[in-house]
Amino acid sequence: MSTPTLLVIASPSGGGKTSIIKALRQRHPEIEFSVSATTRSMRPGETDGKDYFFLTKEQFEERIASGGLVEYEQLYGNYYGTLKSETDRALNAGASMLFDIDVRGGLSIKKMYGPRSVLIFIAPPGIDVLETRLRNRGTEDEATVRRRMERAAMEMELGRQFDYTVVNDDLAKAIDDVDRIIMNHMSQ
Ligand code: 5GP
């Protein structure tokens, strides 16, 4: 019998978190995935209700007012937040759930759920690697790359409060490391 755990995976933008989460979801279909709400526009290939619940600013603010969010942050000019209906879904079903959220959001989850949550920080091997990755991704303009780099320094600092840090200098190894941490917690 595994213990339902809220598994938060966070990293600065370009830290490789998305690839790690994608691999873990394929390996562990039994683990639920928390679909966040956001006001940012949908990217090509994304589906409403699967990647995010895409809301207008007004709809998002209504959710804040009605207590429908466990945590939320404003990132890059948009709101992002974890829906209470998602955490309830996992805890009521006795299932573990993965959260792809930012570092501050992770710390909020820990504050609320304490030992029922595990925070895993994915660190880039170095801040220069992060910048190279962000540029190579080619989806961000120069101003956005600069903004994300400034934020990354703050996130690296906050990440020290996480339960675990996995350095992503080799993607396959980082996936295995995170997998091991998760399996270890779920079997406790
Ligand atoms: P993107 O726009 O690239 O999908 O996400 C930008 C950042 O927002 C990522 O770091 C992502 O993990 C974070 N994020 C996504 N959903 C949430 C959420 O519900 N809460 C918080 N705090 N951050 C989120």
Side-chain angles (χ1 to χ4, degrees), residues 9 11 13 17 36-37 40 43 46 52 71-73 75-76 80-82 100-102 104-106 148 155:
I9 303 194
S11 75
S13 200
K17 167 180 68 167
S36 294
R40 83 148 160 76
R43 293 183 187 140
E46 288 185 327
Y52 282 103
E71 63 76 32
Y72 69 92
E73 297 288 337
L75 302 165
Y76 320 115
Y80 292 83
T82 304
D100 174 351
I101 62 179
D102 89 312
R104 275 215 194 108
R148 294 204 172 207
E155 290 172 318

PDB file of all heavy atoms in Angstrom, residues 9 11 13 17 36-37 40 43 46 52 71-73 75-76 80-82 100-102 104-106 148 155, ligand 1:
ATOM      1  N   ILE A   9       7.704  19.166  -8.184  1.00  0.00           N
ATOM      2  CA  ILE A   9       8.970  19.256  -8.918  1.00  0.00           C
ATOM      3  C   ILE A   9       9.085  20.674  -9.451  1.00  0.00           C
ATOM      4  O   ILE A   9       8.236  21.135 -10.223  1.00  0.00           O
ATOM      5  CB  ILE A   9       9.006  18.222 -10.057  1.00  0.00           C
ATOM      6  CG1 ILE A   9       8.796  16.840  -9.435  1.00  0.00           C
ATOM      7  CG2 ILE A   9      10.324  18.313 -10.829  1.00  0.00           C
ATOM      8  CD1 ILE A   9       9.107  15.689 -10.293  1.00  0.00           C
ATOM      9  N   SER A  11      11.857  24.009 -10.715  1.00  0.00           N
ATOM     10  CA  SER A  11      13.204  24.407 -11.130  1.00  0.00           C
ATOM     11  C   SER A  11      13.111  25.777 -11.760  1.00  0.00           C
ATOM     12  O   SER A  11      12.026  26.190 -12.171  1.00  0.00           O
ATOM     13  CB  SER A  11      13.778  23.424 -12.154  1.00  0.00           C
ATOM     14  OG  SER A  11      13.175  23.628 -13.414  1.00  0.00           O
ATOM     15  N   SER A  13      13.308  28.300 -14.810  1.00  0.00           N
ATOM     16  CA  SER A  13      12.973  28.116 -16.216  1.00  0.00           C
ATOM     17  C   SER A  13      14.218  27.643 -16.980  1.00  0.00           C
ATOM     18  O   SER A  13      15.292  28.233 -16.839  1.00  0.00           O
ATOM     19  CB  SER A  13      12.520  29.485 -16.736  1.00  0.00           C
ATOM     20  OG  SER A  13      11.776  29.348 -17.876  1.00  0.00           O
ATOM     21  N   LYS A  17      13.000  20.697 -16.012  1.00  0.00           N
ATOM     22  CA  LYS A  17      11.887  20.118 -15.261  1.00  0.00           C
ATOM     23  C   LYS A  17      10.832  19.466 -16.160  1.00  0.00           C
ATOM     24  O   LYS A  17      10.339  18.378 -15.870  1.00  0.00           O
ATOM     25  CB  LYS A  17      11.281  21.269 -14.443  1.00  0.00           C
ATOM     26  CG  LYS A  17       9.967  21.016 -13.825  1.00  0.00           C
ATOM     27  CD  LYS A  17       9.519  22.241 -13.057  1.00  0.00           C
ATOM     28  CE  LYS A  17       9.196  23.413 -13.982  1.00  0.00           C
ATOM     29  NZ  LYS A  17       8.478  24.490 -13.279  1.00  0.00           N
ATOM     30  N   SER A  36      -2.911  22.745 -13.421  1.00  0.00           N
ATOM     31  CA  SER A  36      -3.008  24.087 -12.835  1.00  0.00           C
ATOM     32  C   SER A  36      -3.945  24.971 -13.638  1.00  0.00           C
ATOM     33  O   SER A  36      -4.267  24.669 -14.791  1.00  0.00           O
ATOM     34  CB  SER A  36      -1.628  24.749 -12.831  1.00  0.00           C
ATOM     35  OG  SER A  36      -0.745  24.084 -11.976  1.00  0.00           O
ATOM     36  N   ALA A  37      -4.324  26.078 -13.024  1.00  0.00           N
ATOM     37  CA  ALA A  37      -5.067  27.110 -13.746  1.00  0.00           C
ATOM     38  C   ALA A  37      -4.077  28.211 -14.128  1.00  0.00           C
ATOM     39  O   ALA A  37      -3.115  28.471 -13.397  1.00  0.00           O
ATOM     40  CB  ALA A  37      -6.159  27.683 -12.858  1.00  0.00           C
ATOM     41  N   ARG A  40      -2.302  32.634 -18.807  1.00  0.00           N
ATOM     42  CA  ARG A  40      -1.494  32.823 -20.025  1.00  0.00           C
ATOM     43  C   ARG A  40      -2.197  32.176 -21.219  1.00  0.00           C
ATOM     44  O   ARG A  40      -3.040  31.293 -21.040  1.00  0.00           O
ATOM     45  CB  ARG A  40      -0.071  32.293 -19.838  1.00  0.00           C
ATOM     46  CG  ARG A  40       0.124  30.824 -20.054  1.00  0.00           C
ATOM     47  CD  ARG A  40       1.517  30.560 -20.622  1.00  0.00           C
ATOM     48  NE  ARG A  40       1.976  29.189 -20.437  1.00  0.00           N
ATOM     49  CZ  ARG A  40       1.562  28.150 -21.141  1.00  0.00           C
ATOM     50  NH1 ARG A  40       0.587  28.269 -22.035  1.00  0.00           N
ATOM     51  NH2 ARG A  40       2.089  26.961 -20.930  1.00  0.00           N
ATOM     52  N   ARG A  43      -0.507  27.568 -25.752  1.00  0.00           N
ATOM     53  CA  ARG A  43       0.540  27.401 -26.779  1.00  0.00           C
ATOM     54  C   ARG A  43       0.099  26.315 -27.758  1.00  0.00           C
ATOM     55  O   ARG A  43      -0.709  25.454 -27.398  1.00  0.00           O
ATOM     56  CB  ARG A  43       1.857  26.976 -26.125  1.00  0.00           C
ATOM     57  CG  ARG A  43       2.459  28.059 -25.250  1.00  0.00           C
ATOM     58  CD  ARG A  43       3.810  27.606 -24.685  1.00  0.00           C
ATOM     59  NE  ARG A  43       4.311  28.574 -23.728  1.00  0.00           N
ATOM     60  CZ  ARG A  43       4.929  28.268 -22.586  1.00  0.00           C
ATOM     61  NH1 ARG A  43       5.146  27.002 -22.273  1.00  0.00           N
ATOM     62  NH2 ARG A  43       5.353  29.193 -21.771  1.00  0.00           N
ATOM     63  N   GLU A  46      -1.163  22.547 -26.927  1.00  0.00           N
ATOM     64  CA  GLU A  46      -1.729  22.408 -25.579  1.00  0.00           C
ATOM     65  C   GLU A  46      -3.248  22.222 -25.640  1.00  0.00           C
ATOM     66  O   GLU A  46      -3.893  22.684 -26.583  1.00  0.00           O
ATOM     67  CB  GLU A  46      -1.399  23.650 -24.731  1.00  0.00           C
ATOM     68  CG  GLU A  46       0.064  23.697 -24.331  1.00  0.00           C
ATOM     69  CD  GLU A  46       0.405  24.850 -23.402  1.00  0.00           C
ATOM     70  OE1 GLU A  46      -0.213  25.933 -23.515  1.00  0.00           O
ATOM     71  OE2 GLU A  46       1.317  24.680 -22.577  1.00  0.00           O
ATOM     72  N   TYR A  52      -3.365  22.767 -18.876  1.00  0.00           N
ATOM     73  CA  TYR A  52      -3.800  23.774 -17.902  1.00  0.00           C
ATOM     74  C   TYR A  52      -5.303  23.942 -18.054  1.00  0.00           C
ATOM     75  O   TYR A  52      -5.872  23.589 -19.088  1.00  0.00           O
ATOM     76  CB  TYR A  52      -3.188  25.152 -18.227  1.00  0.00           C
ATOM     77  CG  TYR A  52      -1.746  25.354 -17.822  1.00  0.00           C
ATOM     78  CD1 TYR A  52      -0.725  25.304 -18.785  1.00  0.00           C
ATOM     79  CD2 TYR A  52      -1.393  25.643 -16.510  1.00  0.00           C
ATOM     80  CE1 TYR A  52       0.604  25.509 -18.433  1.00  0.00           C
ATOM     81  CE2 TYR A  52      -0.068  25.854 -16.152  1.00  0.00           C
ATOM     82  CZ  TYR A  52       0.919  25.781 -17.113  1.00  0.00           C
ATOM     83  OH  TYR A  52       2.239  25.989 -16.759  1.00  0.00           O
ATOM     84  N   GLU A  71      -2.726  27.596  -3.819  1.00  0.00           N
ATOM     85  CA  GLU A  71      -1.660  28.601  -3.908  1.00  0.00           C
ATOM     86  C   GLU A  71      -1.724  29.201  -5.282  1.00  0.00           C
ATOM     87  O   GLU A  71      -2.261  28.579  -6.206  1.00  0.00           O
ATOM     88  CB  GLU A  71      -0.275  27.975  -3.631  1.00  0.00           C
ATOM     89  CG  GLU A  71       0.194  26.887  -4.620  1.00  0.00           C
ATOM     90  CD  GLU A  71       0.676  27.411  -5.976  1.00  0.00           C
ATOM     91  OE1 GLU A  71       1.230  28.520  -6.041  1.00  0.00           O
ATOM     92  OE2 GLU A  71       0.458  26.722  -6.991  1.00  0.00           O
ATOM     93  N   TYR A  72      -1.224  30.406  -5.420  1.00  0.00           N
ATOM     94  CA  TYR A  72      -1.092  30.990  -6.759  1.00  0.00           C
ATOM     95  C   TYR A  72       0.034  32.001  -6.756  1.00  0.00           C
ATOM     96  O   TYR A  72       0.421  32.519  -5.702  1.00  0.00           O
ATOM     97  CB  TYR A  72      -2.408  31.622  -7.236  1.00  0.00           C
ATOM     98  CG  TYR A  72      -2.807  32.866  -6.470  1.00  0.00           C
ATOM     99  CD1 TYR A  72      -2.437  34.133  -6.904  1.00  0.00           C
ATOM    100  CD2 TYR A  72      -3.546  32.758  -5.298  1.00  0.00           C
ATOM    101  CE1 TYR A  72      -2.783  35.269  -6.189  1.00  0.00           C
ATOM    102  CE2 TYR A  72      -3.899  33.883  -4.578  1.00  0.00           C
ATOM    103  CZ  TYR A  72      -3.504  35.138  -5.023  1.00  0.00           C
ATOM    104  OH  TYR A  72      -3.842  36.246  -4.299  1.00  0.00           O
ATOM    105  N   GLU A  73       0.590  32.245  -7.936  1.00  0.00           N
ATOM    106  CA  GLU A  73       1.674  33.214  -8.108  1.00  0.00           C
ATOM    107  C   GLU A  73       1.408  33.982  -9.381  1.00  0.00           C
ATOM    108  O   GLU A  73       0.718  33.484 -10.280  1.00  0.00           O
ATOM    109  CB  GLU A  73       3.030  32.502  -8.269  1.00  0.00           C
ATOM    110  CG  GLU A  73       3.498  31.691  -7.081  1.00  0.00           C
ATOM    111  CD  GLU A  73       3.944  32.518  -5.881  1.00  0.00           C
ATOM    112  OE1 GLU A  73       4.311  33.701  -6.061  1.00  0.00           O
ATOM    113  OE2 GLU A  73       3.874  31.992  -4.763  1.00  0.00           O
ATOM    114  N   LEU A  75       3.424  35.128 -12.481  1.00  0.00           N
ATOM    115  CA  LEU A  75       4.706  34.870 -13.129  1.00  0.00           C
ATOM    116  C   LEU A  75       4.669  35.435 -14.535  1.00  0.00           C
ATOM    117  O   LEU A  75       3.737  35.144 -15.288  1.00  0.00           O
ATOM    118  CB  LEU A  75       4.963  33.358 -13.224  1.00  0.00           C
ATOM    119  CG  LEU A  75       4.991  32.547 -11.923  1.00  0.00           C
ATOM    120  CD1 LEU A  75       4.879  31.062 -12.213  1.00  0.00           C
ATOM    121  CD2 LEU A  75       6.267  32.845 -11.181  1.00  0.00           C
ATOM    122  N   TYR A  76       5.673  36.203 -14.866  1.00  0.00           N
ATOM    123  CA  TYR A  76       5.797  36.754 -16.224  1.00  0.00           C
ATOM    124  C   TYR A  76       4.491  37.415 -16.681  1.00  0.00           C
ATOM    125  O   TYR A  76       4.054  37.245 -17.823  1.00  0.00           O
ATOM    126  CB  TYR A  76       6.220  35.661 -17.224  1.00  0.00           C
ATOM    127  CG  TYR A  76       7.250  34.709 -16.661  1.00  0.00           C
ATOM    128  CD1 TYR A  76       6.962  33.363 -16.457  1.00  0.00           C
ATOM    129  CD2 TYR A  76       8.520  35.163 -16.301  1.00  0.00           C
ATOM    130  CE1 TYR A  76       7.900  32.494 -15.906  1.00  0.00           C
ATOM    131  CE2 TYR A  76       9.452  34.308 -15.752  1.00  0.00           C
ATOM    132  CZ  TYR A  76       9.139  32.974 -15.561  1.00  0.00           C
ATOM    133  OH  TYR A  76      10.056  32.114 -15.020  1.00  0.00           O
ATOM    134  N   TYR A  80      -0.740  31.943 -12.226  1.00  0.00           N
ATOM    135  CA  TYR A  80      -0.674  30.480 -12.266  1.00  0.00           C
ATOM    136  C   TYR A  80      -1.090  29.993 -10.889  1.00  0.00           C
ATOM    137  O   TYR A  80      -0.614  30.533  -9.884  1.00  0.00           O
ATOM    138  CB  TYR A  80       0.761  29.984 -12.501  1.00  0.00           C
ATOM    139  CG  TYR A  80       1.333  30.269 -13.860  1.00  0.00           C
ATOM    140  CD1 TYR A  80       1.907  31.493 -14.160  1.00  0.00           C
ATOM    141  CD2 TYR A  80       1.320  29.286 -14.850  1.00  0.00           C
ATOM    142  CE1 TYR A  80       2.459  31.741 -15.410  1.00  0.00           C
ATOM    143  CE2 TYR A  80       1.875  29.527 -16.099  1.00  0.00           C
ATOM    144  CZ  TYR A  80       2.438  30.755 -16.368  1.00  0.00           C
ATOM    145  OH  TYR A  80       2.978  30.998 -17.600  1.00  0.00           O
ATOM    146  N   GLY A  81      -1.923  28.974 -10.800  1.00  0.00           N
ATOM    147  CA  GLY A  81      -2.303  28.515  -9.472  1.00  0.00           C
ATOM    148  C   GLY A  81      -2.743  27.067  -9.432  1.00  0.00           C
ATOM    149  O   GLY A  81      -3.221  26.503 -10.424  1.00  0.00           O
ATOM    150  N   THR A  82      -2.576  26.475  -8.248  1.00  0.00           N
ATOM    151  CA  THR A  82      -3.000  25.092  -8.016  1.00  0.00           C
ATOM    152  C   THR A  82      -4.439  25.087  -7.516  1.00  0.00           C
ATOM    153  O   THR A  82      -4.755  25.755  -6.535  1.00  0.00           O
ATOM    154  CB  THR A  82      -2.090  24.434  -6.948  1.00  0.00           C
ATOM    155  OG1 THR A  82      -0.731  24.528  -7.391  1.00  0.00           O
ATOM    156  CG2 THR A  82      -2.466  22.986  -6.724  1.00  0.00           C
ATOM    157  N   ASP A 100       3.797  20.364 -11.289  1.00  0.00           N
ATOM    158  CA  ASP A 100       4.784  21.119 -12.054  1.00  0.00           C
ATOM    159  C   ASP A 100       4.510  22.589 -11.766  1.00  0.00           C
ATOM    160  O   ASP A 100       3.706  23.224 -12.449  1.00  0.00           O
ATOM    161  CB  ASP A 100       4.591  20.803 -13.545  1.00  0.00           C
ATOM    162  CG  ASP A 100       5.490  21.649 -14.447  1.00  0.00           C
ATOM    163  OD1 ASP A 100       6.136  22.590 -13.950  1.00  0.00           O
ATOM    164  OD2 ASP A 100       5.539  21.350 -15.654  1.00  0.00           O
ATOM    165  N   ILE A 101       5.118  23.101 -10.691  1.00  0.00           N
ATOM    166  CA  ILE A 101       4.836  24.485 -10.305  1.00  0.00           C
ATOM    167  C   ILE A 101       6.134  25.220  -9.993  1.00  0.00           C
ATOM    168  O   ILE A 101       7.199  24.604  -9.992  1.00  0.00           O
ATOM    169  CB  ILE A 101       3.850  24.560  -9.106  1.00  0.00           C
ATOM    170  CG1 ILE A 101       4.424  23.900  -7.868  1.00  0.00           C
ATOM    171  CG2 ILE A 101       2.521  23.902  -9.476  1.00  0.00           C
ATOM    172  CD1 ILE A 101       3.482  23.971  -6.659  1.00  0.00           C
ATOM    173  N   ASP A 102       6.044  26.507  -9.751  1.00  0.00           N
ATOM    174  CA  ASP A 102       7.280  27.249  -9.502  1.00  0.00           C
ATOM    175  C   ASP A 102       7.729  27.046  -8.051  1.00  0.00           C
ATOM    176  O   ASP A 102       7.025  26.443  -7.239  1.00  0.00           O
ATOM    177  CB  ASP A 102       7.116  28.724  -9.872  1.00  0.00           C
ATOM    178  CG  ASP A 102       6.610  29.543  -8.710  1.00  0.00           C
ATOM    179  OD1 ASP A 102       5.630  29.115  -8.077  1.00  0.00           O
ATOM    180  OD2 ASP A 102       7.207  30.597  -8.428  1.00  0.00           O
ATOM    181  N   ARG A 104       8.245  29.036  -5.464  1.00  0.00           N
ATOM    182  CA  ARG A 104       7.447  29.628  -4.385  1.00  0.00           C
ATOM    183  C   ARG A 104       6.162  28.828  -4.146  1.00  0.00           C
ATOM    184  O   ARG A 104       5.755  28.618  -3.017  1.00  0.00           O
ATOM    185  CB  ARG A 104       7.043  31.054  -4.757  1.00  0.00           C
ATOM    186  CG  ARG A 104       8.091  32.043  -4.421  1.00  0.00           C
ATOM    187  CD  ARG A 104       7.386  33.338  -3.991  1.00  0.00           C
ATOM    188  NE  ARG A 104       8.352  34.398  -3.985  1.00  0.00           N
ATOM    189  CZ  ARG A 104       8.381  35.384  -4.882  1.00  0.00           C
ATOM    190  NH1 ARG A 104       7.481  35.455  -5.815  1.00  0.00           N
ATOM    191  NH2 ARG A 104       9.317  36.298  -4.817  1.00  0.00           N
ATOM    192  N   GLY A 105       5.537  28.410  -5.248  1.00  0.00           N
ATOM    193  CA  GLY A 105       4.319  27.602  -5.143  1.00  0.00           C
ATOM    194  C   GLY A 105       4.606  26.319  -4.370  1.00  0.00           C
ATOM    195  O   GLY A 105       3.808  25.871  -3.555  1.00  0.00           O
ATOM    196  N   GLY A 106       5.767  25.732  -4.618  1.00  0.00           N
ATOM    197  CA  GLY A 106       6.173  24.508  -3.922  1.00  0.00           C
ATOM    198  C   GLY A 106       6.262  24.740  -2.422  1.00  0.00           C
ATOM    199  O   GLY A 106       5.763  23.930  -1.626  1.00  0.00           O
ATOM    200  N   ARG A 148      13.839  35.984 -17.143  1.00  0.00           N
ATOM    201  CA  ARG A 148      13.860  34.622 -16.574  1.00  0.00           C
ATOM    202  C   ARG A 148      15.177  34.362 -15.853  1.00  0.00           C
ATOM    203  O   ARG A 148      15.212  33.667 -14.846  1.00  0.00           O
ATOM    204  CB  ARG A 148      13.611  33.582 -17.668  1.00  0.00           C
ATOM    205  CG  ARG A 148      12.206  33.730 -18.208  1.00  0.00           C
ATOM    206  CD  ARG A 148      11.637  32.468 -18.832  1.00  0.00           C
ATOM    207  NE  ARG A 148      10.236  32.702 -19.136  1.00  0.00           N
ATOM    208  CZ  ARG A 148       9.294  31.785 -19.200  1.00  0.00           C
ATOM    209  NH1 ARG A 148       9.589  30.533 -19.000  1.00  0.00           N
ATOM    210  NH2 ARG A 148       8.054  32.091 -19.462  1.00  0.00           N
ATOM    211  N   GLU A 155      15.210  31.958  -7.520  1.00  0.00           N
ATOM    212  CA  GLU A 155      14.681  30.595  -7.369  1.00  0.00           C
ATOM    213  C   GLU A 155      15.752  29.619  -6.865  1.00  0.00           C
ATOM    214  O   GLU A 155      15.462  28.720  -6.086  1.00  0.00           O
ATOM    215  CB  GLU A 155      14.105  30.110  -8.702  1.00  0.00           C
ATOM    216  CG  GLU A 155      12.827  30.851  -9.070  1.00  0.00           C
ATOM    217  CD  GLU A 155      12.339  30.543 -10.477  1.00  0.00           C
ATOM    218  OE1 GLU A 155      13.180  30.471 -11.402  1.00  0.00           O
ATOM    219  OE2 GLU A 155      11.141  30.359 -10.649  1.00  0.00           O
TER     220      GLU A 155
HETATM  221  P1  5GP B   1       4.727  27.808 -18.470  1.00  0.00           P
HETATM  222  O1  5GP B   1       4.098  29.113 -18.845  1.00  0.00           O
HETATM  223  O2  5GP B   1       6.076  27.616 -19.110  1.00  0.00           O
HETATM  224  O3  5GP B   1       3.799  26.630 -18.681  1.00  0.00           O
HETATM  225  O4  5GP B   1       4.988  27.845 -16.899  1.00  0.00           O
HETATM  226  C1  5GP B   1       5.724  28.878 -16.295  1.00  0.00           C
HETATM  227  C2  5GP B   1       6.021  28.523 -14.852  1.00  0.00           C
HETATM  228  O5  5GP B   1       4.794  28.481 -14.078  1.00  0.00           O
HETATM  229  C3  5GP B   1       6.656  27.133 -14.680  1.00  0.00           C
HETATM  230  O6  5GP B   1       7.728  27.254 -13.772  1.00  0.00           O
HETATM  231  C4  5GP B   1       5.534  26.320 -14.095  1.00  0.00           C
HETATM  232  O7  5GP B   1       6.018  25.260 -13.322  1.00  0.00           O
HETATM  233  C5  5GP B   1       4.843  27.362 -13.232  1.00  0.00           C
HETATM  234  N1  5GP B   1       3.494  26.949 -12.832  1.00  0.00           N
HETATM  235  C6  5GP B   1       2.619  26.220 -13.551  1.00  0.00           C
HETATM  236  N2  5GP B   1       1.498  26.000 -12.849  1.00  0.00           N
HETATM  237  C7  5GP B   1       1.677  26.598 -11.642  1.00  0.00           C
HETATM  238  C8  5GP B   1       0.871  26.680 -10.453  1.00  0.00           C
HETATM  239  O8  5GP B   1      -0.229  26.162 -10.361  1.00  0.00           O
HETATM  240  N3  5GP B   1       1.387  27.379  -9.428  1.00  0.00           N
HETATM  241  C9  5GP B   1       2.607  27.957  -9.461  1.00  0.00           C
HETATM  242  N4  5GP B   1       3.026  28.605  -8.373  1.00  0.00           N
HETATM  243  N5  5GP B   1       3.394  27.884 -10.551  1.00  0.00           N
HETATM  244  C10 5GP B   1       2.939  27.207 -11.628  1.00  0.00           C
END
